[in-house]
Amino acid sequence: MSIKEVSRNKCFGGHVVKYEHGSDELNCDMKFNVFLPQQATKTKVPAIFFLSGLTCTEDNFIHKSGAMAEAAKHGIALIAPDTSPRGVSIEGDSDSWDCGTGAGFYVDATEEKWSKNYRMYSYIVEELYSIVTKQLPIDESRVSVMGHSMGGHGALTIHIKNPHKFKTASAFSPIANPINCPWGQKAFSNYLGSDKESWKQYDTVELLKASKNERMDILVDVGTADGFLEKELLIDQLKKTTQELGRESEWNIRYQSGYDHSYFFISTFIADHINHHATVLKSLEK
Amino acid sequence: MSIKEVSRNKCFGGHVVKYEHGSDELNCDMKFNVFLPQQATKTKVPAIFFLSGLTCTEDNFIHKSGAMAEAAKHGIALIAPDTSPRGVSIEGDSDSWDCGTGAGFYVDATEEKWSKNYRMYSYIVEELYSIVTKQLPIDESRVSVMGHSMGGHGALTIHIKNPHKFKTASAFSPIANPINCPWGQKAFSNYLGSDKESWKQYDTVELLKASKNERMDILVDVGTADGFLEKELLIDQLKKTTQELGRESEWNIRYQSGYDHSYFFISTFIADHINHHATVLKSLEK
């Protein structure tokens, strides 16, 4: 699958490049942004996927996070995908902001209505991963994933399920237990149907309970003034699970006093997250 | 004139606060954003105004520049005003993106059609300056101004004309000689009328020629891949003027290879600009 360059802007010595491509997984054209640090002109570089939250496109993170400052210092690429299929027409896909367009939830839909297009899990893990590691100067042995809110859920679940592809994860304000919150229940009912057992494969808390993964090393930040903290994110449930499993030391879950759900919060702690990934990815350098 | 808080987000230990207020200068309601660093809870802090470019609102700089990271380190506030009066209805004010709404050009209009509202020069220099120094914890002896494109023009002209209020200036991609470029000529004809002599009071190159200012200390960055460089910004004319006047050492004009006119460019060098202002403002501390 070939990718087409849409735009290119120099930034911190490297470039932010927007690409467009036809997606086999999603049956539509998709766009994504990449920050390629200066080092990528000479050698393959490590990369962090950033999965965005509800209503976002491939642009929000690149425009608002301030991540390139720190990524450039470490010579790390950033991959910012879109959050759902685009330009497809499915009844009801634009009726609400928390299901359908802009709300793919990083699952492979099984309900017939959505299943032809809403395959964001395989799009990220297989197709886009393959595109960036084969067609861009990205070192496939040093790739990781982070995300925000719905994308924090995506990052954590994708890492736990694919630790050999995505070597570490971090999340801002993740939807940590979607099978037990309104956003997750709405999306999973629509995309996956009524069999709640099938939902567990996309739930961080459930995956963690079932996980035989080796030692994890994960950073999670959430703001104590986040309006979604109690009802949607369920970070306490995640923290409790790590404690029950004796894996508390593998999960650095930080409650940041007074911060909310916005990119002002993300920008404040993005350097910490890039540094977390840089440490893990650097240790994998051959 | 009282200001009303619209929103408040914690960011880098301080807060981004959006305010709304009725403007006497502009005869309409206006909004602006302020970043107040943590230090502002205890003491008055220095502040940098950031004047934005064509089509921008009070949000672009705050969302996209990454400036808060560096401002927080120095304990400096950032003031981000809007770029024109809002919600007024003047024939033709929405016909083009380079005159009217979003394009106030930081002048006081004298043409009758615009003169009741388009007084962005006095709005910034008098009204908003007074609001922030009297109603917010801003130290009026340590205020400066920077800007981008149209706002770079605003920052440089406002500093040269008011060095005792705005102690230093810096600019990204400023429209340095608006009386000689299409953007400036269009805006100045509309706002100031056909007497070109009156335009010179808002032209950086002309103000510099006439200036009796003491030693200046100004930083200007412009990208060599900026599509507006040759026709609209006329940075070469500014550089030539500083040389002719023997003031070259007072103007650090940097041509940044490969960068364009976007916020990706601004974000790359914003830390340098904050540091420039921090040095000057720190030297004024009592």
Side-chain angles (χ1 to χ4, degrees):
Chain A
M1 186 61 67
S2 71
I3 57 177
K4 185 183 135 198
E5 187 174 311
V6 177
S7 63
R8 173 176 289 261
N9 302 85
K10 193 166 179 182
C11 187
F12 286 97
H15 286 89
V16 170
V17 191
K18 182 173 287 212
Y19 292 103
E20 190 170 38
H21 69 104
S23 165
D24 291 336
E25 289 289 354
L26 308 179
N27 280 294
C28 65
D29 289 337
M30 292 295 286
K31 292 188 181 127
F32 63 97
N33 282 306
V34 177
F35 170 68
L36 289 169
Q38 194 166 25
Q39 292 87 335
T41 58
K42 293 178 188 157
T43 182
K44 288 195 171 191
V45 295
I48 308 169
F49 278 65
F50 185 95
L51 307 184
S52 283
L54 290 164
T55 78
C56 288
T57 70
E58 71 278 10
D59 285 337
N60 303 63
F61 173 73
I62 290 291
H63 288 175
K64 293 184 167 182
S65 68
M68 280 84 82
E70 200 68 18
K73 281 185 203 163
H74 292 288
I76 292 178
L78 302 169
I79 320 284
D82 204 345
T83 56
S84 76
R86 296 283 169 179
V88 300
S89 189
I90 296 174
E91 190 202 339
D93 68 359
S94 301
D95 291 353
S96 59
W97 56 271
D98 54 3
C99 188
T101 306
F105 260 89
Y106 308 102
V107 304
D108 286 348
T110 50
E111 291 294 286
E112 196 181 342
K113 180 176 159 183
W114 303 97
S115 62
K116 185 184 157 202
N117 305 106
Y118 277 70
R119 297 179 52 76
M120 286 298 290
Y121 176 78
S122 290
Y123 173 66
I124 301 295
V125 174
E126 305 295 340
E127 189 172 20
L128 190 57
Y129 178 89
S130 173
I131 286 172
V132 302
T133 55
K134 289 193 169 54
Q135 299 189 47
L136 298 176
I138 305 293
D139 176 359
E140 70 176 331
S141 70
R142 289 182 291 158
V143 174
S144 64
V145 61
M146 65 165 80
H148 172 233
S149 195
M150 174 181 76
H153 140 73
L156 298 177
T157 54
I158 283 173
H159 165 62
I160 296 173
K161 288 156 75 96
N162 306 276
H164 300 297
K165 273 184 155 174
F166 297 89
K167 310 290 172 147
T168 186
S170 75
F172 296 92
S173 333
I175 304 173
N177 191 197
I179 67 172
N180 288 319
C181 79
W183 278 342
Q185 288 167 341
K186 178 176 176 179
F188 287 8
S189 308
N190 275 284
Y191 298 144
L192 305 173
S194 56
D195 174 13
K196 294 189 177 180
E197 206 53 39
S198 74
W199 297 5
K200 293 184 177 176
Q201 64 181 307
Y202 297 114
D203 184 283
T204 297
V205 167
E206 292 298 326
L207 286 168
L208 188 53
K209 286 182 192 166
S211 169
K212 295 185 172 56
N213 291 39
E214 292 172 17
R215 187 177 165 76
M216 299 177 183
D217 183 6
I218 292 174
L219 174 62
V220 175
D221 273 318
V222 65
T224 62
D226 188 323
F228 303 114
L229 181 56
E230 295 301 322
K231 195 174 156 197
E232 300 286 4
L233 307 183
L234 310 185
I235 308 293
D236 287 349
Q237 190 54 43
L238 173 61
K239 192 163 179 68
K240 190 166 143 256
T241 304
T242 65
Q243 289 164 341
E244 285 168 357
L245 296 170
R247 307 195 76 150
E248 204 180 347
S249 66
E250 301 171 43
W251 287 71
N252 186 7
I253 300 174
R254 312 190 300 187
Y255 291 78
Q256 302 288 3
S257 178
Y259 287 89
D260 59 29
H261 202 69
S262 71
Y263 266 92
F264 296 119
F265 162 59
I266 295 175
S267 66
T268 302
F269 298 103
I270 190 70
D272 288 358
H273 283 245
I274 303 276
N275 279 314
H276 166 81
H277 289 257
T279 302
V280 175
L281 297 176
K282 198 170 174 56
S283 74
L284 300 169
E285 202 167 1
K286 279 162 193 153
Chain B
M1 185 62 66
S2 71
I3 58 177
K4 184 184 135 196
E5 187 174 310
V6 176
S7 63
R8 172 177 288 260
N9 301 85
K10 193 165 179 184
C11 187
F12 286 97
H15 287 89
V16 170
V17 190
K18 180 172 289 212
Y19 291 104
E20 190 170 37
H21 69 104
S23 166
D24 290 337
E25 289 289 354
L26 308 179
N27 280 294
C28 64
D29 289 337
M30 292 294 286
K31 292 187 180 127
F32 63 97
N33 282 306
V34 177
F35 169 68
L36 289 169
Q38 194 166 26
Q39 291 85 337
T41 57
K42 292 177 189 159
T43 181
K44 287 194 173 193
V45 295
I48 309 169
F49 277 66
F50 185 94
L51 307 183
S52 284
L54 290 164
T55 76
C56 289
T57 70
E58 72 278 10
D59 285 337
N60 303 63
F61 172 73
I62 290 291
H63 288 175
K64 293 184 167 183
S65 69
M68 280 84 82
E70 201 68 18
K73 282 184 203 163
H74 293 289
I76 292 178
L78 302 169
I79 319 283
D82 204 344
T83 56
S84 77
R86 297 284 169 177
V88 301
S89 190
I90 297 174
E91 190 202 339
D93 67 0
S94 301
D95 291 354
S96 58
W97 56 271
D98 53 3
C99 188
T101 306
F105 261 89
Y106 308 101
V107 305
D108 286 348
T110 51
E111 290 295 286
E112 196 182 342
K113 179 177 159 183
W114 303 97
S115 62
K116 185 184 156 204
N117 305 105
Y118 277 70
R119 297 178 51 76
M120 285 299 290
Y121 176 79
S122 290
Y123 173 66
I124 301 294
V125 173
E126 306 296 340
E127 188 171 20
L128 191 56
Y129 178 90
S130 171
I131 286 173
V132 301
T133 55
K134 289 193 168 53
Q135 299 189 48
L136 298 177
I138 305 291
D139 176 359
E140 70 175 331
S141 70
R142 290 183 291 159
V143 174
S144 63
V145 62
M146 63 165 82
H148 172 233
S149 195
M150 173 181 77
H153 140 75
L156 298 177
T157 54
I158 282 173
H159 165 62
I160 296 173
K161 289 157 74 97
N162 305 277
H164 300 296
K165 273 184 156 173
F166 297 90
K167 308 291 171 143
T168 186
S170 75
F172 297 91
S173 334
I175 304 172
N177 190 198
I179 67 172
N180 288 318
C181 79
W183 278 342
Q185 288 166 341
K186 178 175 175 179
F188 288 8
S189 306
N190 275 285
Y191 298 144
L192 306 173
S194 56
D195 175 13
K196 294 189 177 182
E197 206 53 40
S198 74
W199 298 6
K200 293 183 177 176
Q201 64 181 307
Y202 298 114
D203 183 283
T204 298
V205 166
E206 292 298 325
L207 286 168
L208 188 53
K209 286 182 193 166
S211 169
K212 295 185 172 54
N213 291 37
E214 292 173 17
R215 187 176 164 75
M216 299 177 184
D217 182 6
I218 291 174
L219 174 61
V220 175
D221 273 317
V222 65
T224 62
D226 188 323
F228 303 115
L229 181 56
E230 296 301 323
K231 196 173 156 197
E232 299 286 4
L233 308 183
L234 310 184
I235 307 293
D236 287 350
Q237 190 53 43
L238 173 61
K239 192 165 179 68
K240 191 166 144 254
T241 304
T242 65
Q243 289 164 341
E244 286 168 358
L245 295 171
R247 307 196 77 150
E248 205 181 348
S249 68
E250 301 171 43
W251 287 71
N252 186 8
I253 300 175
R254 313 190 299 188
Y255 290 78
Q256 302 287 2
S257 177
Y259 287 90
D260 59 29
H261 202 69
S262 70
Y263 265 92
F264 295 120
F265 162 60
I266 295 175
S267 66
T268 303
F269 298 103
I270 190 71
D272 288 359
H273 284 246
I274 303 276
N275 279 314
H276 166 81
H277 289 257
T279 303
V280 175
L281 297 176
K282 197 170 174 56
S283 74
L284 299 169
E285 203 168 359
K286 277 162 195 153

